[in-house]
Amino acid sequence: MSNWSLFPKEAFESMANVANNLIEKISLATGYLVTPKGKRKDMEEAVAYFINEIKNNDLMTDLSKAACISNARKMIREYCNQNDILHIAISNLNDKSNPDLIKDDWLVDFWEKAGCVNDEDIKLIFGKILSNACNDENMRFSKALIHKLYLMDGKIAKALQKLKQYAVRLEAIDINGNIVDEDYNVFYFNNFDEWENKYPQKGLELIELEAAGIINKNDSYVIGMENQDDVGESKIIKEIKIFYSDSYISLTGDEKGDFQKFDTPIYVDAGTICLTRDGKFLLRIIENSQYLEGYMDDMKSIFKTMGYKVQ
């Protein structure tokens, strides 16, 4: 990857087609041209070149030279940020990725924000946002979230990593054994003393994450709502599975009885934090640094305390 070049265009031929298509998509939408991923020395040499050219321009006033030198540093820094993020995105593409799924107006806005991202952890998130936009048209993040993300620092990136440790996948199973509803969310029961003692909020930055539209605190949560399919057949839920790491627990009812006997939506208490739509997308693309030891056993204990039937 360090040997890539876009000058001349024929150099694309040695790259995978999907990476080529993404670079071309960005170039056409924004006018951007990618260069090899260089070292900090390369950036410093580029800045020095610009500064030297400006200083030697006898037609410019001192004020004009100062302004141009300042702008040159800013321009090259933003370009290097974009280049870093592009290389991260390309490393997360696959042969089924399709850059044409990305709309130009979204890409232009994203690329402008990408130039302002200096934190390495946030760059990683931006790179994965771009690659996921190529992999799934339903995984395109809102402009509002991207605007908030580029203003964030490494502290928030670390908070997202910690929040990821509480993320689970859910499946609602009907009376015929079919999966009729799936979701991805965070289970965090901070309203129980035993949970707070073992999993303190420190480092989660809940206020900032809520302001960014990534989580809702104290929000109700529902999965496995009884509904009608296209032919009018009722999908009665009998079980909700909650997956974490390589294991799962099964909920089959609560204090009101078995789920399959309910004629109202099934609510599952997810604790004090719920992910928003953007939050679900964001945590899906963040790699889990480590799973919490004993988390499933603690969650099972909490659900039993709340009156759920747990298997």
Side-chain angles (χ1 to χ4, degrees):
M1 201 157 41
S2 60
N3 294 321
W4 289 356
S5 173
L6 292 189
F7 309 100
K9 186 176 180 181
E10 286 77 7
F12 279 130
E13 295 174 357
S14 63
M15 298 158 49
N17 285 336
V18 65
N20 178 14
N21 292 341
L22 175 58
I23 294 171
E24 185 174 6
K25 175 79 174 180
I26 294 172
S27 299
L28 291 174
T30 68
Y32 175 86
L33 291 176
V34 68
T35 60
K37 183 174 174 61
K39 302 176 182 178
R40 180 173 179 82
K41 179 172 68 70
D42 300 322
M43 176 180 172
E44 292 171 350
E45 288 177 351
V47 172
Y49 172 81
F50 268 105
I51 292 175
N52 188 58
E53 290 294 305
I54 293 168
K55 285 181 177 179
N56 292 333
N57 190 333
D58 296 332
L59 299 178
M60 297 178 67
T61 65
D62 289 342
L63 180 60
S64 297
K65 289 181 180 181
C68 287
I69 289 172
S70 177
N71 189 59
R73 289 195 176 102
K74 177 177 180 292
M75 178 178 64
I76 293 175
R77 182 176 65 252
E78 291 178 353
Y79 177 85
C80 290
N81 290 340
Q82 292 168 332
N83 212 37
D84 289 345
I85 288 169
L86 177 59
H87 280 81
I88 292 170
I90 289 175
S91 69
N92 285 278
L93 296 175
N94 57 62
D95 57 2
K96 295 182 180 180
S97 299
N98 181 11
D100 288 334
L101 294 174
I102 306 176
K103 294 182 179 180
D104 285 352
D105 63 330
W106 183 92
L107 184 57
V108 170
D109 183 75
F110 174 87
W111 208 238
E112 178 184 347
K113 303 296 190 301
C116 301
V117 176
N118 297 303
D119 184 89
E120 296 301 319
D121 290 326
I122 302 297
K123 282 182 183 179
L124 183 62
I125 292 174
F126 262 68
K128 290 190 174 183
I129 287 175
L130 181 57
S131 62
N132 273 270
C134 300
N135 297 335
D136 185 350
E137 61 183 336
N138 296 317
M139 286 285 285
R140 188 170 60 249
F141 288 65
S142 68
K143 291 181 181 179
L145 178 61
I146 291 171
H147 176 76
K148 293 171 182 175
L149 279 175
Y150 99 93
L151 296 173
M152 293 180 181
D153 56 19
K155 181 178 70 173
I156 298 301
K158 289 179 174 59
L160 291 170
Q161 285 280 0
K162 183 171 182 179
L163 189 65
K164 173 77 174 186
Q165 294 180 319
Y166 304 107
V168 299
R169 182 173 62 85
L170 300 101
E171 292 179 354
I173 314 297
D174 70 5
I175 56 177
N176 298 314
N178 300 314
I179 300 173
V180 295
D181 195 5
E182 294 182 89
D183 204 358
Y184 180 86
N185 217 309
V186 169
F187 277 22
Y188 188 74
F189 302 99
N190 199 52
N191 47 337
F192 288 84
D193 290 340
E194 61 268 36
W195 187 275
E196 167 63 13
N197 292 334
K198 188 170 183 179
Y199 306 110
Q201 290 187 22
K202 184 178 179 180
L204 278 175
E205 311 300 342
L206 297 181
I207 295 176
E208 290 84 351
L209 293 180
E210 186 172 30
I214 295 171
I215 64 169
N216 289 320
K217 292 192 295 182
N218 301 315
D219 196 14
S220 60
Y221 181 66
V222 60
I223 185 173
M225 181 182 294
E226 183 183 35
N227 53 45
Q228 302 287 324
D229 63 18
D230 294 337
V231 296
E233 181 180 352
S234 181
K235 298 175 180 178
I236 308 298
I237 306 305
K238 72 169 185 178
E239 178 184 15
I240 293 175
K241 291 183 177 179
I242 304 172
F243 295 84
Y244 184 80
S245 183
D246 55 356
S247 61
Y248 73 90
I249 61 175
S250 177
L251 307 182
T252 58
D254 62 16
E255 70 279 358
K256 296 182 293 183
D258 296 338
F259 286 150
Q260 65 191 67
K261 298 177 181 178
F262 291 7
D263 57 2
T264 57
I266 296 173
Y267 290 89
V268 176
D269 191 336
T272 53
I273 303 172
C274 265
L275 296 174
T276 63
R277 174 183 176 276
D278 281 337
K280 293 176 184 180
F281 286 170
L282 188 56
L283 256 65
R284 280 182 183 275
I285 68 173
I286 295 176
E287 295 180 2
N288 199 349
S289 56
Q290 65 179 44
Y291 289 102
L292 298 170
E293 184 177 354
Y295 177 73
M296 284 294 277
D297 290 335
D298 293 332
M299 186 162 55
K300 182 185 294 187
S301 176
I302 293 292
F303 276 123
K304 288 182 177 178
T305 299
M306 294 190 294
Y308 285 94
K309 297 181 180 180
V310 185
Q311 296 180 359

